[in-house]
Amino acid sequence: MSTTEIKRIKSKVKTNSKYVSLITWIVMIYFVFSVVMLIRAAFLPEEAFTATPGLIFWQITIPINAGFSFNINIPMEVLPNYEPERFQAKAAFITYHSIYLLTYTSVLLYGIRQLTYILWSITDGHTPFTINNSVRLRNIAFAAIGNALLAGHIATICISIFVTQIFSMNILNISFSGLIIGSLLLVISQIFRYGAYLQEQYDTTL
Amino acid sequence: MAIIIRLDRLLAERKMKLNDLAEKVGISHVNLSNLKTGKVKAIRFSTLEAICKTLECQPGDILEYTPDD
């Protein structure tokens, strides 16, 4: 591979790194906004919340300002299709949104942060094939797999305890796409580990 | 390691400094120093050829095998 090509790749990685930073900021703004909404929801009366059943989601809406509202979708696997009178929409909103922020958004932010570190390791002039990057990819993979396996169940359990007081759990309430993505990342992390070994061999050859 | 690099001995015999060798061979001083102190794991034929050409020696004069006990 020629030096020009390597420079071109590094320039591309630098551009991608900027996009990832932009995505990080967008997710962080969403995270902060969601936390603000959560705090606001805690002080709103029960009547301010509207729960609307859909085909696969409950849509719970809270008013923000005149004409604007904030809504979240709770899957029916988490909150079954009960009569809206059988649960408190406020409790459902606060419980599910807290769990969502703690599981999905945190894992997303963690994954993006690790990806940024990997991209930085390339733009800084080092090779991407290092043990550190392999560990970072493995950590993202474990986070994705853990999230895919547990997030749905944690949400269901919390909704059962704090909202409906009716315990119902579907063992298949797992994210298969998350599992596949996590498994693929795990394979890629193993490839990176082997790449790190080859890189070390190359670096110690004169 | 069982393979010992005898570069320091050859340099002393040729009354040559490591810097001069590095310049003639086209390898950085740091890398050549690593080779001399046995910190590298492998050496390319092209590098070995360049060193042999500069020092007018055989590969066997640079590399020496001593069995591990």
Side-chain angles (χ1 to χ4, degrees):
Chain A
M1 196 179 277
S2 67
T3 322
T4 332
E5 207 164 337
I6 291 169
K7 272 185 186 170
R8 197 174 54 83
I9 292 169
K10 279 192 178 178
S11 158
K12 258 188 181 176
V13 169
K14 211 172 245 180
T15 316
N16 287 340
S17 186
K18 280 177 191 167
Y19 290 139
V20 172
S21 294
L22 183 73
I23 293 168
T24 311
W25 277 107
I26 292 168
V27 176
M28 276 172 78
I29 289 167
Y30 172 75
F31 188 80
V32 171
F33 178 73
S34 296
V35 171
V36 170
M37 283 299 109
L38 201 60
I39 295 165
R40 182 180 155 78
F43 292 102
L44 283 174
E46 175 64 34
E47 301 81 54
F49 292 81
T50 321
T52 320
L55 281 174
I56 51 169
F57 290 107
W58 276 100
Q59 191 179 61
I60 299 186
T61 312
I62 58 163
I64 298 177
N65 219 330
F68 291 99
S69 61
F70 179 77
N71 58 60
I72 62 162
N73 292 329
I74 305 178
M76 292 283 183
E77 294 97 33
V78 176
L79 181 62
N81 195 4
Y82 298 131
E83 292 296 316
E85 296 80 34
R86 286 186 66 180
F87 65 90
Q88 286 191 326
K90 182 179 178 178
F93 181 94
I94 292 171
T95 307
Y96 186 75
H97 202 46
S98 309
I99 297 300
Y100 185 83
L101 286 177
L102 281 173
T103 54
Y104 294 99
T105 319
S106 308
V107 167
L108 184 65
L109 273 172
Y110 176 75
I112 292 173
R113 194 81 198 134
Q114 296 301 311
L115 187 65
T116 311
Y117 286 139
I118 293 170
L119 291 173
W120 281 351
S121 76
I122 303 169
T123 51
D124 283 351
H126 305 299
T127 168
F129 299 108
T130 60
I131 294 290
N132 279 347
N133 283 349
S134 157
V135 170
R136 279 171 190 143
L137 276 171
R138 194 195 60 192
N139 289 349
I140 299 173
F142 284 154
I145 291 170
N147 189 57
L149 289 175
L150 299 174
H153 293 307
I154 292 171
T156 309
I157 291 166
C158 288
I159 287 281
S160 299
I161 294 169
F162 300 113
V163 184
T164 58
Q165 278 88 42
I166 301 165
F167 191 78
S168 70
M169 205 166 156
N170 182 1
I171 201 83
L172 288 174
N173 188 10
I174 53 174
S175 164
F176 287 101
S177 55
L179 267 183
I180 291 166
I181 290 168
S183 307
L184 283 174
L185 282 170
L186 210 54
V187 172
I188 294 170
S189 84
Q190 290 300 317
I191 294 169
F192 260 66
R193 190 169 280 269
Y194 185 62
Y197 163 74
L198 291 178
Q199 185 69 50
E200 201 220 330
Q201 292 289 310
Y202 177 80
D203 289 343
T204 51
T205 298
L206 190 66
Chain B
M1 203 154 93
I3 303 288
I4 296 166
I5 309 286
R6 293 291 183 203
L7 201 60
D8 46 354
R9 195 176 63 187
L10 272 170
L11 284 169
E13 281 172 14
R14 305 287 193 275
K15 293 185 174 59
M16 192 187 267
K17 284 179 182 169
L18 197 69
N19 271 338
D20 300 333
L21 180 66
E23 202 175 302
K24 282 180 183 169
V25 172
I27 300 171
S28 74
H29 176 266
V30 178
N31 281 340
L32 212 54
S33 180
N34 283 342
L35 176 68
K36 200 180 85 172
T37 49
K39 283 178 187 165
V40 293
K41 283 184 182 170
I43 182 165
R44 288 189 187 88
F45 280 155
S46 56
T47 311
L48 195 59
E49 187 188 339
I51 294 170
C52 287
K53 197 176 173 183
T54 311
L55 296 176
E56 292 174 342
C57 65
Q58 292 297 314
D61 299 329
I62 301 170
L63 307 171
E64 192 179 303
Y65 171 71
T66 49
D68 281 331
D69 289 327

